[in-house]
Amino acid sequence: MRKITDYLELDIEGKYILNHIDDSKVALSFSETAVLNELVSHQGEICDKETLLGIGWPNRIVAPSSLTQCISTLRRKLTPFSEINLQAIARRGYQIQIVEQSQVKLVSLHDSETIRQAIVDVSPAVKAFGIILLFVLLAVLFYFSTNHRVTQIAHQWHDEPDISLNLGGQVNQLPLLSFRNSYATTSQNWQRHIDPAHNTSKAPRPFKGVALATSRTHSFAACFLDGITHDSCQHSGAINLVAMESQPAAVDYGALSQIIAQVSDRFRYNRVLIPQGSEGHVTEHHYHADVFFPRANKKLIRGDFAISLIYERNNYGKFFYSVCITDEDCLGEPIKFNARGEFRKFSRRIGEHYVDIFYVTPTQHHLPRPDAIRDFALPFYQELRRVEVSTQPLIFYRLQDEGDKSLWVLPFMGNIVAWANYEKVRL
C-alpha cells in the first residue's frame, strides 16, 4: 500500500485507490496503477513520458497516445479528490502535486502515523485545552446523570430529634425525618391526632417505626413487635397514619385498631391473587400497605397502596404502582390509579439510615374517570391526576426491610411513610 494523502492509499497489488473516510474503492487498470504509483513516488517532480511508458506498458511498444489516454482517465478518477493535481508539463512529461485544502487534517483510522501525529504531535497548550475540555464534558455529563440527581435528592432529607408517641398506652421514641428541613417537628404534630381519652389497649405491645415531616403532611408508621424476639414486626396490625390538616383529628385508638383489622381482611383492592410458593420463571416482589388519613369529626379515609418489583438485572427492572382511595367503610366509589415503568435502584445514606432509593421512569399511567367525586376524595384525585399528566420520575424509598415487612416512603401527597407487607410470587 502506498500512501497518497492522509486518507487515501494506493493498493498496487489490488489495483485500486482506497478512501478510508468511507472505505470506498476506485478501481484502476494495471497501467493506471503503475503510472500513478510512479508519479506519487516522485511527488512534485517531473516524470518524463518515456519513463512512464516503460513502467505502464513494460516489454511492449505502444503509441504515446496510450499514455495520454491513461493520464486523462486518471484525472477523471481523481476528480473527487481536489487536493490531487495531475499536471502536464509541455514537452517534458507529467507531475503530480498534492496540497492540503485547509488547516484541518483528516485522520485515517488505518494510518497509525497519522493518528500519532494527531494525538501526540500537538503543542502543550492544545493538550492542556483538550484535557480541560474533557473534564468539563465529564462534569456536565455527571451533573445531569441519574446518579447525581439521586444524590441531590437524598441530601434534601434530614434527621430530626426523635418524637415521643403514645399508642394504646405504650410510649416510644420514633426517629423523625424531614424533607428540606423547613417544618415544625414537635411531637404534638403527630400525637394530637390520637384522642387521649381513648388511647388505651387491653394488651398493649411495644412498637417501632418512623415519623415523617413534609410541607404538606405529617405521617408516622408504627408496627407492633412480636412476642418472641421483641424486635421484629408482627405481620399484621401496623398503623400508618397521615395528617393533612392542622386541626386535631381525635382518632379513637381502639376503634382505629378494629378498623385496620376489618378493612385489611375484608376490603383489599390491590391484592395478589397468585399464591406464594407457586412455580414460574419470573419473580414478583409485592408490597402492600394500608394508610389512613384522619379528619376531625369525620370518617377516616383509607389508601390502599401496592408496589411490585420485577428485577431484570442487578438494580434494574420493571416497577408497578397501584393506589386505591376510599372511605373507611369502603362504601363510596373508589378512586383507582395504576402506573408502571422502569426502575433503577440506588443505595444512599440519609442521616443514620441506609436507604434503597428506587428511581422510577413511568411509561404508563391509568386514572379512570369516576362518575362523581365526593368532597373528601377531591384532593386525592387532584394528586393522582397531577402524577398522571406529569413526565417527572417517581421516587420511592425503602427505609427498612424485615423479610415479610418493609418500611417505605411513598411519593403521595408529597411524601408519606408506611409499613408494607411483603409477598414473593412466581409468574
Side-chain angles (χ1 to χ4, degrees):
M1 300 286 284
R2 180 174 296 280
K3 179 179 175 180
I4 302 175
T5 70
D6 289 334
Y7 65 98
L8 292 177
E9 285 186 319
L10 174 62
D11 190 320
I12 299 171
E13 294 184 359
K15 302 182 186 64
Y16 59 80
I17 298 172
L18 176 61
N19 184 349
H20 285 297
I21 292 178
D22 57 8
D23 289 329
S24 61
K25 297 177 181 180
V26 179
L28 303 174
S29 68
F30 172 84
S31 298
E32 292 164 357
T33 302
V35 170
L36 180 59
N37 181 50
E38 181 68 14
L39 291 168
V40 171
S41 302
H42 298 85
Q43 181 190 160
E45 302 176 10
I46 300 173
C47 298
D48 61 77
K49 296 179 180 179
E50 290 74 14
T51 300
L52 294 176
L53 282 168
I55 291 174
W57 294 266
N59 303 318
R60 294 174 59 189
I61 299 176
V62 295
S65 60
S66 297
L67 178 59
T68 304
Q69 180 61 42
C70 176
I71 294 295
S72 177
T73 304
L74 280 174
R75 282 176 175 158
R76 178 173 54 80
K77 293 182 177 180
L78 293 172
T79 298
F81 316 113
S82 57
E83 65 268 43
I84 303 175
N85 186 15
L86 182 52
Q87 299 175 324
I89 309 300
R91 295 183 298 276
R92 298 182 62 185
Y94 297 93
Q95 180 188 56
I96 196 166
Q97 294 282 355
I98 300 174
V99 296
E100 294 184 7
Q101 289 182 297
S102 69
Q103 298 301 315
V104 178
K105 198 172 184 180
L106 294 174
V107 177
S108 168
L109 297 178
H110 297 271
D111 187 349
S112 60
E113 178 62 21
T114 303
I115 295 175
R116 189 193 69 80
Q117 291 176 359
I119 297 176
V120 178
D121 296 344
V122 295
S123 67
V126 173
K127 289 181 181 179
F129 177 77
I131 293 172
I132 293 172
L133 182 60
L134 176 62
F135 276 107
V136 169
L137 290 174
L138 291 175
V140 170
L141 290 174
F142 176 74
Y143 182 80
F144 288 102
S145 68
T146 303
N147 199 316
H148 179 64
R149 183 171 184 183
V150 168
T151 300
Q152 286 182 311
I153 293 171
H155 286 164
Q156 297 182 64
W157 290 94
H158 302 277
D159 272 332
E160 303 289 349
D162 293 355
I163 66 162
S164 177
L165 191 64
N166 183 334
L167 292 178
Q170 284 285 338
V171 180
N172 196 9
Q173 301 293 116
L174 294 187
L176 172 61
L177 292 174
S178 71
F179 190 65
R180 295 178 179 167
N181 200 25
S182 58
Y183 317 111
T185 54
T186 65
S187 296
Q188 286 304 310
N189 288 325
W190 291 266
Q191 189 66 60
R192 65 187 174 188
H193 298 290
I194 306 294
D195 184 359
H198 299 90
N199 193 17
T200 59
S201 174
K202 294 181 180 179
R205 286 185 180 274
F207 63 89
K208 67 176 183 178
V210 168
L212 206 67
T214 72
S215 60
R216 301 174 64 185
T217 62
H218 289 81
S219 61
F220 73 82
C223 72
F224 293 92
L225 305 182
D226 62 31
I228 301 175
T229 65
H230 300 289
D231 183 53
S232 300
C233 291
Q234 295 181 142
H235 183 69
S236 60
I239 296 179
N240 300 315
L241 214 62
V242 180
M244 299 171 57
E245 303 173 351
S246 59
Q247 184 179 358
V251 174
D252 184 323
Y253 171 77
L256 174 63
S257 300
Q258 293 180 4
I259 291 171
I260 290 174
Q262 292 172 359
V263 169
S264 298
D265 291 339
R266 293 169 49 204
F267 306 105
R268 182 172 166 187
Y269 292 99
N270 295 317
R271 68 174 65 248
V272 176
L273 301 178
I274 301 173
Q276 296 195 65
S278 57
E279 297 296 326
H281 300 290
V282 178
T283 300
E284 179 180 4
H285 304 271
H286 184 81
Y287 299 86
H288 173 264
D290 282 312
V291 180
F292 292 90
F293 300 82
R295 300 175 298 163
N297 304 314
K298 296 179 181 178
K299 290 183 178 293
L300 292 167
I301 300 170
R302 179 205 177 196
D304 182 341
F305 293 83
I307 295 170
S308 287
L309 308 174
I310 297 178
Y311 285 85
E312 296 180 329
R313 54 193 174 99
N314 190 30
N315 296 329
Y316 291 83
K318 302 289 186 185
F319 197 99
F320 302 86
Y321 175 51
S322 301
V323 181
C324 181
I325 303 295
T326 186
D327 57 42
E328 68 181 57
D329 298 323
C330 300
L331 298 177
E333 182 179 2
I335 296 174
K336 297 181 180 181
F337 173 79
N338 294 282
R340 63 181 298 172
E342 307 285 338
F343 79 82
R344 182 178 176 187
K345 187 180 79 171
F346 299 84
S347 294
R348 292 290 187 271
R349 183 167 179 168
I350 297 179
E352 298 299 320
H353 306 270
Y354 287 94
V355 177
D356 291 328
I357 301 177
F358 292 83
Y359 187 96
V360 180
T361 303
T363 57
Q364 182 178 332
H365 301 100
H366 181 57
L367 179 63
R369 306 296 187 265
D371 294 333
I373 301 177
R374 300 172 66 181
D375 290 343
F376 80 86
L378 183 58
F380 301 96
Y381 182 82
Q382 290 174 323
E383 169 75 4
L384 295 172
R385 175 61 177 162
R386 180 191 63 80
V387 175
E388 182 186 32
V389 301
S390 174
T391 59
Q392 295 299 311
L394 298 173
I395 312 297
F396 294 78
Y397 307 81
R398 188 169 59 193
L399 304 181
Q400 297 181 31
D401 190 355
E402 297 195 357
D404 65 346
K405 214 172 195 67
S406 294
L407 185 61
W408 287 81
V409 173
L410 308 174
F412 187 76
M413 309 303 285
N415 286 289
I416 62 174
V417 65
W419 281 105
N421 291 332
Y422 169 70
E423 296 175 273
K424 181 171 73 173
V425 297
R426 296 280 186 177
L427 305 177

